Amino acid sequence: MVGTQQEREEKVSLELTEEILQSMETGMVFRDYNGRISSMDFHKTSSYLVTASDDESIRLYDVSGAACLKAINSKKYGVDLVCFTSDPTTVLYSSKNGWDESLRLLSLNDNKYLRYFKGHHDRVVSLSLCSRKECFISGSLDRTVLLWDQRAEKCQGLLRVQGRPAAAYDDQGIVFAIAFGGYIRMFDSRKYEKGPFDIFSVGGDVSDANAVKFSNDGRLMLLTTMDGHIHLLDSFRGTLLSTYNVKPVSINSTLEASFSPEGKFVVSGSGDGRVHAWSVRSGKEVASWVTYETEPHVIKWAPGSLMFATGSSELSFWIPDLSKLAAYVGRK
């Protein structure tokens, strides 16, 4: 019997320790990409993972079976950012061709477009779906953030920004955050047109925002920036709790970081291709891995699981090596 997501997260909260995190290594690697992986997303309630790559492919994986189920090519439009809707067979993705910045809702079942979302005039650099509702948010180099309903082709709202934006919904879909220019602006999703209800500073780091994310319980948020900073904040008070530092990333790359399911750890890529992990409680780095890459990985922790994935020129699943753990040695 499959447990609920909450049960799986509680299970992880009992098991994921510094020692287990330090033991993690690549357990499965998919090397059949002909370009860098630009984005990936785990479905929240199934065992599916979707990736987007510079080789213009969208690939669907079953993580539990460690198998690629399907590869779909987007040769005409290219593909940059990708994320699941609530339906694990439907994804939303952004183009990468320099002439059409539409977002597309794609059925993976029959490779058919269900809807186009036109509104941006430059590359989309941020995409976040609301897990509780049929809405999503997109941020672009055209200095706009657009709010959408999956059921309508025209955007439902427009917010102008002064810089490259990073945007994200919290897990409940009650608030969303937009980061740019050294600040994170917090909006009530029901009355965003009134402007932000709070503005948080990230300590003078005005380099381009790359990604903003909430922890599963909504209490924490992180912001990554081009200068190689990963800022951890209390999402209610706006207090800057920690800043983790890695190698800066190039203007064409994205520094990504991800909370573990229970929010105790943060894993991230780095401009030199390393993978890092920090303890939220202590603010200290607890693990670091050297890889064969020289550019930052995209990185996501699997929901309710002792596994995270990294994407570069290949896709890697990272799992604990229990043989390294004293507490597990000798167990059957």
Side-chain angles (χ1 to χ4, degrees):
M1 182 175 161
V2 178
T4 65
Q5 184 179 357
Q6 183 179 0
E7 285 169 349
R8 291 203 305 272
E9 286 174 6
E10 285 172 357
K11 183 167 176 278
V12 171
S13 71
L14 295 174
E15 295 180 357
L16 185 59
T17 62
E18 273 187 32
E19 191 183 16
I20 287 178
L21 187 55
Q22 289 161 353
S23 82
M24 293 182 83
E25 59 183 33
T26 52
M28 186 77 188
V29 182
F30 296 88
R31 296 190 170 93
D32 56 338
Y33 285 85
N34 296 311
R36 288 191 66 79
I37 296 169
S38 54
S39 174
M40 62 183 172
D41 189 33
F42 284 98
H43 191 260
K44 278 190 162 46
T45 55
S46 73
S47 64
Y48 290 156
L49 169 74
V50 65
T51 66
S53 167
D54 291 347
D55 65 10
E56 301 173 326
S57 71
I58 296 170
R59 305 189 193 199
L60 179 68
Y61 294 85
D62 178 359
V63 176
S64 59
C68 182
L69 301 179
K70 185 170 287 194
I72 293 173
N73 291 319
S74 178
K75 296 291 184 188
K76 183 176 179 182
Y77 304 110
V79 55
D80 194 8
L81 303 178
V82 67
C83 47
F84 280 111
T85 64
S86 56
D87 179 350
T89 65
T90 308
V91 297
L92 182 71
Y93 79 92
S94 66
S95 313
K96 194 175 190 176
N97 57 18
W99 55 270
D100 184 340
E101 306 302 340
S102 302
L103 299 163
R104 291 173 172 77
L105 194 64
L106 174 70
S107 167
L108 300 175
N109 273 340
D110 50 13
N111 193 17
K112 286 187 177 174
Y113 293 115
L114 306 177
R115 196 159 285 113
Y116 299 87
F117 305 95
K118 297 179 184 290
H120 284 301
H121 303 290
D122 204 341
R123 185 175 149 228
V124 174
V125 292
S126 187
L127 191 59
S128 175
L129 266 80
C130 176
S131 60
R132 305 291 171 117
K133 304 185 187 82
E134 297 279 296
C135 49
F136 64 94
I137 188 170
S138 58
S140 166
L141 296 180
D142 65 12
R143 298 194 166 197
T144 65
V145 172
L146 301 182
L147 290 92
W148 307 85
D149 186 311
Q150 287 180 43
R151 297 159 294 191
E153 291 187 357
K154 291 187 177 179
C155 74
Q156 309 295 296
L158 182 153
L159 296 163
R160 298 194 184 278
V161 297
Q162 286 82 49
R164 172 180 169 142
Y169 278 103
D170 76 330
D171 192 55
Q172 302 295 316
I174 296 169
V175 303
F176 61 85
I178 301 175
F180 63 90
Y183 293 90
I184 302 175
R185 289 159 173 81
M186 306 292 290
F187 293 83
D188 183 328
S189 59
R190 294 157 299 186
K191 44 190 177 185
Y192 60 85
E193 64 279 355
K194 293 185 177 179
F197 65 81
D198 216 337
I199 301 177
F200 303 152
S201 168
V202 291
D205 179 7
V206 295
S207 64
D208 276 353
N210 274 190
V212 64
K213 294 182 185 178
F214 288 88
S215 59
N216 282 343
D217 62 9
R219 295 172 185 269
L220 301 171
M221 60 194 309
L222 61 80
L223 169 66
T224 68
T225 67
M226 192 174 147
D227 278 358
H229 304 306
I230 301 156
H231 303 291
L232 180 72
L233 297 95
D234 179 312
S235 59
F236 295 121
R237 297 183 181 88
T239 315
L240 184 60
L241 303 173
S242 296
T243 295
Y244 315 131
N245 299 301
V246 298
K247 295 288 184 185
V249 299
S250 70
I251 196 163
N252 295 320
S253 300
T254 297
L255 177 61
E256 192 170 40
S258 181
F259 285 105
S260 60
E262 77 307 320
K264 288 183 180 176
F265 299 98
V266 170
V267 290
S268 86
S270 171
D272 60 3
R274 293 177 76 99
V275 176
H276 299 270
W278 290 269
S279 163
V280 166
R281 183 174 293 167
S282 71
K284 293 179 180 176
E285 183 173 281
V286 294
S288 175
W289 298 269
V290 177
T291 71
Y292 296 111
E293 298 294 325
T294 56
E295 292 184 60
H297 295 75
V298 292
I299 190 164
K300 289 274 191 329
W301 201 288
S305 175
L306 287 175
M307 188 197 99
F308 64 87
T310 57
S312 52
S313 57
E314 54 193 34
L315 173 66
S316 301
F317 295 164
W318 296 70
I319 56 174
D321 179 356
L322 298 184
S323 68
K324 293 180 180 176
L325 303 174
Y328 286 85
V329 173
R331 286 191 187 181
K332 297 293 183 192

